[in-house]
Amino acid sequence: EFPGGGQGNLSSLTGIGAGIEPFCAAEQRTIKPGFTLAEVLITLGIIGVVAAMTLPALTAKKQTKELETSLKKNYSILQQAINKMSYDEGGTVKAGNYAPVTFYKPFSKYFNIVKACGTSGCVGKEDKEIEGEVINWYIDNYKTYSKSRNVATDYFDDGQIVLTDGSFYMIENPDNSTNYLFITVDVNGYSKKPNAWGHDLFTFEITKTGKFLPMGAEGTVFTDASTYCSPSSSHRLNGISCTYKALTDKDYWKNLP
């Protein structure tokens, strides 16, 4: 009994802490271990090895795809130019219609050109002795398809032009009795590699009947692929007939030497 006659009852007391559950210690939390520095470094090392193994292949695949696309583009551009030239001249453009080194100038009018090189002002020519052999018309810029030797040919020296997209055209317009005109295209320009026939360098032919054909097709001068488009050929013109295969063989770009 409390003073003043009030009945004491602890259960009726209110105040700070009244009715609160008994104090409990904080629940224990389990801390999960993270990666160690060694594990992180090992993982990064594996990623680096995989990248080193795959990036060159991916880069090469990208480059060949770009070259294939550019080849098809230039094939179309050349065909359109020849059709337009035939229309303007009132007759079929064909080998035998043009005296030596005269095809270059009228043909050049149908392209957007940043540089007209004359007959051979961009990629020169010279006679050169290599390992005791005198090579006529040695072209230092380009390799054959197998890349085993430099191109040694006079098929690039009757007119050269550089287009605005960097493509580089070289004309072969010999005497009328030969009955052919050759147009060789470096699809990514002479300053960019690989600079090899059948890789970024491709030859087309205008026949004596006026057909415009990729070299290697039936009816062109060079059709023997074992000699003119082969990884094992050492011929100085190896690669000149690869154009037809590059445009028609779906596996061609996967198997470049």
Side-chain angles (χ1 to χ4, degrees), residues 24-31:
C24 296
E27 293 182 4
Q28 292 185 348
R29 296 181 181 177
T30 302
I31 300 176

Side-chain angles (χ1 to χ4, degrees), residues 151-239:
V151 169
T153 176
D154 56 350
Y155 291 154
F156 299 162
D157 65 334
D158 292 336
Q160 298 175 355
I161 57 176
V162 181
L163 275 57
T164 53
D165 68 353
S167 299
F168 177 48
Y169 291 3
M170 294 174 282
I171 311 299
E172 173 61 11
N173 170 207
D175 63 84
N176 304 53
S177 63
T178 55
N179 289 324
Y180 63 74
L181 283 167
F182 293 164
I183 303 168
T184 298
V185 182
D186 185 336
V187 298
N188 64 346
Y190 58 84
S191 62
K192 293 183 179 179
K193 294 184 180 299
N195 281 352
W197 240 334
H199 295 252
D200 60 346
L201 189 70
F202 298 93
T203 300
F204 298 87
E205 178 179 341
I206 300 175
T207 70
K208 63 182 180 180
T209 60
K211 291 182 178 179
F212 176 65
L213 299 171
M215 190 66 76
E218 184 178 355
T220 57
V221 174
F222 299 102
T223 57
D224 181 7
S226 64
T227 302
Y228 301 117
C229 186
S230 171
S232 59
S233 173
S234 60
H235 197 281
R236 70 189 185 97
L237 298 180
N238 183 25

Side-chain angles (χ1 to χ4, degrees), residues 54-105:
T54 57
L55 280 178
L58 292 173
T59 301
K61 185 176 180 180
K62 179 177 180 292
Q63 182 187 44
T64 54
K65 187 62 180 177
E66 289 173 347
L67 295 176
E68 180 184 6
T69 300
S70 188
L71 169 60
K72 292 177 179 178
K73 173 187 171 184
N74 278 282
Y75 184 25
S76 176
I77 289 172
L78 284 166
Q79 183 67 77
Q80 292 175 46
I82 291 167
N83 290 341
K84 183 69 165 59
M85 189 174 179
S86 294
Y87 177 81
D88 290 345
E89 294 191 351
T92 303
V93 173
K94 57 186 178 180
N97 284 2
Y98 304 91
V101 200
T102 61
F103 177 71
Y104 154 67
K105 285 188 177 181

